[in-house]
Amino acid sequence: MRIGELARTTGTTTRALRYYEAQGLLTAPRRTNGYREYDESHLRLVREIQALQAVGFALEETRPFVECLLAGNATGDACPDSVAVYRRKLAEVDDCIARLTEVRREIAEKLTHACEERRCPKR
């Protein structure tokens, strides 16, 4: 399939696919006429990238998953490097939750203090 078809099938743009290619995440052989030729393996790679980005992974963080698929594994998270990225990302999310929990606590305290000093409407 050509780049336009891959873009339509995956719901992305040709520009995004070219960017993935420029970043070394997607490579496609070219026909004699210069057009890129994609197949089902490329479709799988793009879908892996999209799924990871949809849950907050940066494009560069998808690299170990792409490499894992390119190595012939059934899934992009079958390799130790991919598992390490999951662990780092989970720690990052846990840190963010902890920070947000602290911010929420501080805001709730300020609200309580403000309402103690004057009558606040209940919500």
Side-chain angles (χ1 to χ4, degrees):
M1 79 183 88
R2 290 186 24 198
I3 194 167
E5 185 180 350
L6 180 61
R8 279 187 302 281
T9 303
T10 57
T12 192
T13 64
T14 57
R15 184 176 180 194
L17 296 175
R18 286 187 189 101
Y19 184 70
Y20 297 165
E21 194 171 285
Q23 298 305 304
L25 294 169
L26 190 64
T27 57
R30 292 191 182 254
R31 294 179 174 175
T32 55
N33 62 7
Y35 290 127
R36 294 169 182 89
E37 181 65 32
Y38 296 98
D39 59 27
E40 291 300 314
S41 68
H42 297 100
L43 182 63
R44 198 164 150 220
L45 291 175
V46 172
R47 287 191 171 143
E48 182 81 6
I49 292 167
Q50 290 174 316
L52 291 166
Q53 286 192 302
V55 295
F57 284 73
L59 185 60
E60 186 56 33
E61 291 173 316
T62 69
R63 187 173 302 280
F65 298 87
V66 169
E67 290 171 353
C68 191
L69 286 172
L70 290 172
N73 292 286
T75 63
D77 57 9
C79 299
D81 289 345
S82 301
V83 172
V85 172
Y86 275 153
R87 287 189 173 124
R88 279 194 307 271
K89 195 63 164 179
L90 188 58
E92 184 182 305
V93 168
D94 287 342
D95 289 346
C96 186
I97 291 169
R99 284 192 311 274
L100 288 172
T101 300
E102 181 58 25
V103 167
R104 187 193 187 292
R105 186 193 60 74
E106 289 178 22
I107 292 171
E109 283 179 10
K110 291 180 183 300
L111 176 61
T112 299
H113 178 71
C115 287
E116 286 172 353
E117 293 184 1
R118 60 186 111 6
R119 296 183 91 151
C120 294
K122 299 280 182 188
R123 286 197 180 210

